[in-house]
Structure formats: C-alpha cells, structure tokens
C-alpha cells in the first residue's frame, strides 16, 4: 500500500459522520486520485481515513501495472471483505479497468468503478445512497483543498494530467488510464494553492505522462509553463514534479530549478539501457539521450536525486543487452532503481512476443539489479553524510527506542529521527548515518 499509516485519532467532528476508509495501491497518480475521492466524500458529509479501521465503507483504489500488482489488489479486496463483512466495499482504479468489472465483483465488491472523474462521482453517489446516515449539511472543514491522504497534511498530491497516447509495448496503463487529457493551468494552480492553505508544505504534481501535459489544450503549452505558473501564483513551499521522460528535460524546464522551492529530484523511467530493447519497447529515447538528460540535470542541480524504473527480462533481452542496462545505470549513478521483472499484460504488444526470457534468468537479473540498486543508493546517500539538508517530517511510528519520525530531504532521501513531535515541520537536519534505504537524522530542537 502506498500510504503510510496515520497515527492520529479521529476528531469528534469525524467520529460523528460515517467513516470511509480509502486504501491505495500503486503510484503517486493513484494517491492523487485517492485524495480527490476523499475530498468528494468529505464534501458529501463523510469522514475519510487512509488505513484499515472500523469503517462503514471501504474504497480499495487498486493498481494493475504487473501481475504482482493485480495479486495485491485482489488480496486487499478479499481481506477487507473478510475483516468487515457488513461494510460496503468499493473497488476503484486500474485493476477493474484492466481486468473488467466482473473480476472485482467476484472478489466481493459492492461497487466497481474505473479511473475517470465520472467514476469518482458515481462512487460518491453510490455511498450516499447506501450510507444515508451521513450529515451532508455539515461537510468537513477544508473540503475544497487536496487533503493529504497518506502523510497527515505534510504532502499533497495534485493531478495535472491523465492518460497516455504512447503505446509502450509492455505497458497496460494506456488501457487503464485512457487518452491524454490535461487539466488547465487555472485548475492545477487552484488545487496547489488549496493544498497549501490546508496545511501541506509540499505538493507533488502527478500525471500518467506528465511530459505530455499541455499538448492537448486548446492553446498547447509545455510542462515548464505549468511549473512556472505554479511557482508564480501559489505559496507552495516545496514542489515536486512526479515523473518525466528524458526528452522532456529541456533548458527552459531546468532553468526553473534555480527556484529553491522546486525539489532537486527527477524520476525518469529508463526501463532498459539497450537501444534495441528500447526500440522494441517503443520508448522514444536512446540510451545516449538518457545519459545526456542526466548530465543536463547534474549540471544545474549537482545534488539532485535521479531515480528510475527498470524492467528485467523483457522478451528477447539477451545477457549483453542486460549488461548494457547495468552499465548505463552505473553511468547515470541513480539514487534509486525500482526494479521490476517483466510481466506480460493482456492486450499489450509485448505479451504477443514469442521470445520470452525464462523465469530463472529473469530472477537472476532481478537479483543483480537489486544489488546494483543497493550499491548505487548507498553511494548516493553516503555523499550527504555529515551534511545538513532540509527535511519535511511526514509520519510517525513507534520503534523500540520510542517515537520515530520519518520525512524526506529536498533530494528525496528518506530520513528517520527519534524524538519529540515533528509532523509537518520543515527543519535543517544533520544527516548522521545510513539506515535501511534512507538515513538517520539528528532530531532538531523543539519549536519554541
Ligand atoms: Fe498502477 Fe494504475 Fe498507477 S496500473 S502504477 S495505479 S497508473
């Protein structure tokens, strides 16, 4: 599940209204969808939480990017059904979109919907009709603002764009998210500002294919124009752009990173470092183009984290081609590699390719990629040992040594600190050790 558990308790205002638990799998775009669902439900008089608890209804917002994601979606719906046999269970998102409604109903869902705005409206209608005890005349405060679902108000996710017109050979997302559709500058700016006013210190702008933002608008625009307007027209303290492709890394875009409110973190999905595999995947860049984009980023933002996704075992991938991927990963020096074994998705071009890589070879390549990720990630984090970086503290959990706080640096290193309450504070923090896949930080002084 993407969202971390909230540790707070329900306020009195919340307890008086029927509770809907929204559970999110998948990517940041899905988190943005969950936040939109939460806002619509709050406006209709429901209270929402992002964890399993005693709730009248559950919304399971699913993912279908791989067969593992399908299995997780199925498991979560089944376990919610088992835990709360009396509750209404709604299944939304990419899983029913790719496998069909029937598969979701077969798991015990009472309501099934996809990924579009009309689906969210139908969900609210369904719950309103089926949980009529809500007090619709008293919506929760701040219902117009993107309420951070996963991190107790520290970060909010705002969707700028939906859908993808590229047809990458392995990818099911164009089927689950449809054609490209950009939201206007006015709408995105308003949502970012509303998130800030509701208390979010950091806003993450998301989309299925963010680099395509603006090309379908009546007056076509580029993503850098959207970012510039967000910086100019809102009071956002920290802004992240969730993911881009190497061909989107233009001088106009990078020039904006002079503004310290734009976080030095770029997620560029590589998928493979072999040109012939990239061509067969129908990606629109070469290995060299990817490297140039990374170099351009480093030239303007030397401390930036560049993170990526890589697929091991794409049909026909040879040992040599896989070695090219490892080599390119080293050359770029990624801060994190999300490694995926190739997963055939129905109705995609790659699923019809006959030269499958065996499960054993794919497993072995996954092991090597994971080891490389561990090495490169540790190398990246080690560079910042003993330095002070701004950390936005997001969540708290209990550890053996007491309350442990978790947050991210500007360049997306996860930082853990023991000590007093830090939620939603943005503090200069001394990074004093490597810890799991992040670092430990010295607990900053209490606010006076
Ligand atoms: Fe999963 Fe859909 Fe996101 S398939 S990765 S939730 S776009």
């Amino acid at each position: 599940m993407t969202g971390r558990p909230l540790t707070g308790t329900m306020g009195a205002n919340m307890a008086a209204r029927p509770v809907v638990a929204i559970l999110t799998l998948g990517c940041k775009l899905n988190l943005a969808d969950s936040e939109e669902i939460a806002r619509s439900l709050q406006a209709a008089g429901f209270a929402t939480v992002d964890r399993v608890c005693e709730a009248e209804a559950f919304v399971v917002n699913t993912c279908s990017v791989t067969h593992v994601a399908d299995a997780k979606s199925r498991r979560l719906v089944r376990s919610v059904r088992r835990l709360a046999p009396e509750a209404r269970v709604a299944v939304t998102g990419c899983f029913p979109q790719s496998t069909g409604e029937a598969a979701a109903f077969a798991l015990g869902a009472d309501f099934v919907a996809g990924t579009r705005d009309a689906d969210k409206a139908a969900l609210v209608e369904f719950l309103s009709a089926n949980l009529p005890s809500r007090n619709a005349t008293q919506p929760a405060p701040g219902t117009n603002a993107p309420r951070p679902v996963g991190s107790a108000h520290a970060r909010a996710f705002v969707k700028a764009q939906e859908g993808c017109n590229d047809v990458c050979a392995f990818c099911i997302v164009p089927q689950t998210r449809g054609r490209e559709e950009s939201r206007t500058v006015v709408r995105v700016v308003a949502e970012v500002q509303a998130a800030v006013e509701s208390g979010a210190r950091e806003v993450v702008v998301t989309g299925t294919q963010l680099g395509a933002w603006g090309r379908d608008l009546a007056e076509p625009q580029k993503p850098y124009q959207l970012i510039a307007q967000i910086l100019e027209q809102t009071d956002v303290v920290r802004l992240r752009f969730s993911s881009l492709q190497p061909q989107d890394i233009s001088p106009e875009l990078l020039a904006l990173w002079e503004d310290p409110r734009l976080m030095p973190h770029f997620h560029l999905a590589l998928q493979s470092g072999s040109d012939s595999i990239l061509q067969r995947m129908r990606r629109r860049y070469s290995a060299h183009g990817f490297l140039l984009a990374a170099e351009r980023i480093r030239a303007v933002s030397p401390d930036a984290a560049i993170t990526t996704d890589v697929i091991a075992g794409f049909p026909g991938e040879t040992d040599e081609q896989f070695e090219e991927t490892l080599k390119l990963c080293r050359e770029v020096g990624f801060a994190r590699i999300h490694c995926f074994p190739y997963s055939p998705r129905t109705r995609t071009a790659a699923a019809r390719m006959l030269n499958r890589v065996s499960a054993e070879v794919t497993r072995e390549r996954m092991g090597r990629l994971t080891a490389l990720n561990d090495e490169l990630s540790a190398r990246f984090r080690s560079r910042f040992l003993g330095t002070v970086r701004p950390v936005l503290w997001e969540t708290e959990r209990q550890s053996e040594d007491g309350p442990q706080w978790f947050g991210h640096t500007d360049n997306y290193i996860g930082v853990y600190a023991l000590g007093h309450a830090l939620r939603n504070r943005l503090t200069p923090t001394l990074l004093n050790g490597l810890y799991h896949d992040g670092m430990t930080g010295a607990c900053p002084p209490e606010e006076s």
Side-chain angles (χ1 to χ4, degrees), residues 210-228:
L210 259 186
W213 179 87
R215 63 185 176 202
D216 60 310
L217 290 174
E219 285 182 32
Q221 294 188 62
K222 299 261 191 199
Y224 76 88
Q225 293 168 298
L226 173 65
I227 301 176

Side-chain angles (χ1 to χ4, degrees), residues 25-30 61-66 69 93-95 115 162 172-173 176-177 208:
L25 294 161
C27 60
K28 292 191 171 90
L29 185 63
N30 238 21
N61 196 14
T62 56
C63 174
S64 188
V65 73
T66 60
C94 292
F95 174 77
T115 51
E162 178 68 283
I172 196 159
V173 168
T176 65
R177 295 278 171 177
T208 315

Side-chain angles (χ1 to χ4, degrees), residues 95 234 284 313 329 352 383 391 417 448:
F95 174 77
T234 72
R284 292 165 189 252
C329 288
R352 294 188 292 276
R383 273 180 54 200
V391 175
S448 51

Side-chain angles (χ1 to χ4, degrees), residues 65-349:
V65 73
T66 60
H67 69 277
V68 174
D70 275 346
K72 275 191 192 166
S73 298
R74 280 198 193 90
R75 238 184 351 256
L76 189 56
V77 177
R78 279 202 200 100
S79 62
V80 163
R81 185 76 285 173
R82 229 180 5 254
L83 276 171
E86 305 297 323
R88 304 287 171 183
V89 176
V91 175
T92 59
C94 292
F95 174 77
Q97 201 81 52
S98 76
T99 56
E101 294 186 346
F105 279 122
L107 298 170
D110 300 304
F111 175 86
V112 178
T115 51
R116 291 281 161 155
D117 288 351
D119 293 310
K120 296 185 186 86
L123 169 67
V124 175
E125 221 170 274
F126 169 80
L127 290 178
S128 300
N130 284 276
L131 298 176
S133 64
R134 82 202 188 284
N135 181 358
T137 58
Q138 290 181 11
T143 47
N144 292 326
R147 189 189 71 84
V149 164
S151 46
H153 292 269
R155 290 164 100 194
F157 295 85
V158 168
K159 179 153 71 172
Q161 185 275 344
E162 178 68 283
C164 181
N165 293 359
D166 290 352
V167 202
C168 294
F170 56 84
C171 188
I172 196 159
V173 168
Q175 292 176 46
T176 65
R177 295 278 171 177
R179 305 284 294 170
E180 287 167 8
E181 212 177 296
S182 302
R183 291 182 172 179
T184 61
V185 171
V186 173
R187 179 167 176 186
V188 178
V189 162
E191 292 203 357
V192 170
Q193 183 60 19
V196 173
E197 286 168 12
S198 80
R201 294 282 180 99
E202 179 172 305
V203 174
V204 184
V205 176
T206 70
T208 315
Q209 178 65 288
L210 259 186
W213 179 87
R215 63 185 176 202
D216 60 310
L217 290 174
E219 285 182 32
Q221 294 188 62
K222 299 261 191 199
Y224 76 88
Q225 293 168 298
L226 173 65
I227 301 176
Q229 288 304 311
I230 297 172
L231 291 172
E232 196 178 310
Q233 295 187 45
T234 72
D235 301 313
V236 68
V237 179
R238 308 219 301 185
L239 182 66
R240 285 186 206 276
F241 224 56
S242 74
S243 89
L244 289 164
Q245 298 214 36
Q247 61 272 32
D248 305 324
I249 306 299
S250 65
E252 295 91 339
L253 183 102
L254 287 177
L256 295 170
W257 259 258
E258 276 182 14
D259 188 319
R261 291 179 297 161
L262 261 175
M263 296 298 95
H265 173 210
F266 295 79
H267 186 80
L268 307 179
L270 171 65
Q271 310 300 7
S272 169
S274 151
D275 281 339
S276 69
I277 294 286
L278 286 172
Q279 268 171 22
R280 293 178 50 240
M281 285 178 164
R282 302 195 194 131
R283 304 290 285 174
R284 292 165 189 252
Y285 51 85
S286 63
H288 182 64
F290 194 100
L291 198 54
L292 285 181
E295 282 168 5
R296 279 202 290 270
I297 290 170
R298 291 261 153 71
V300 299
S301 186
D303 290 347
I306 304 178
T307 56
T308 199
D309 304 325
V310 172
I311 295 173
F314 184 78
E317 182 187 61
T318 63
D319 287 343
E320 293 70 30
Q321 288 164 338
F322 180 67
E323 292 296 337
E324 288 177 56
T325 299
L326 297 181
K327 182 165 170 277
L328 189 67
C329 288
R330 278 188 187 286
E331 280 170 352
V332 174
F334 288 116
R336 186 176 303 167
I337 304 168
H338 300 271
C339 323
F340 298 92
Y342 169 71
S343 174
R345 308 273 68 204
T346 45
R347 302 188 300 281
T348 59

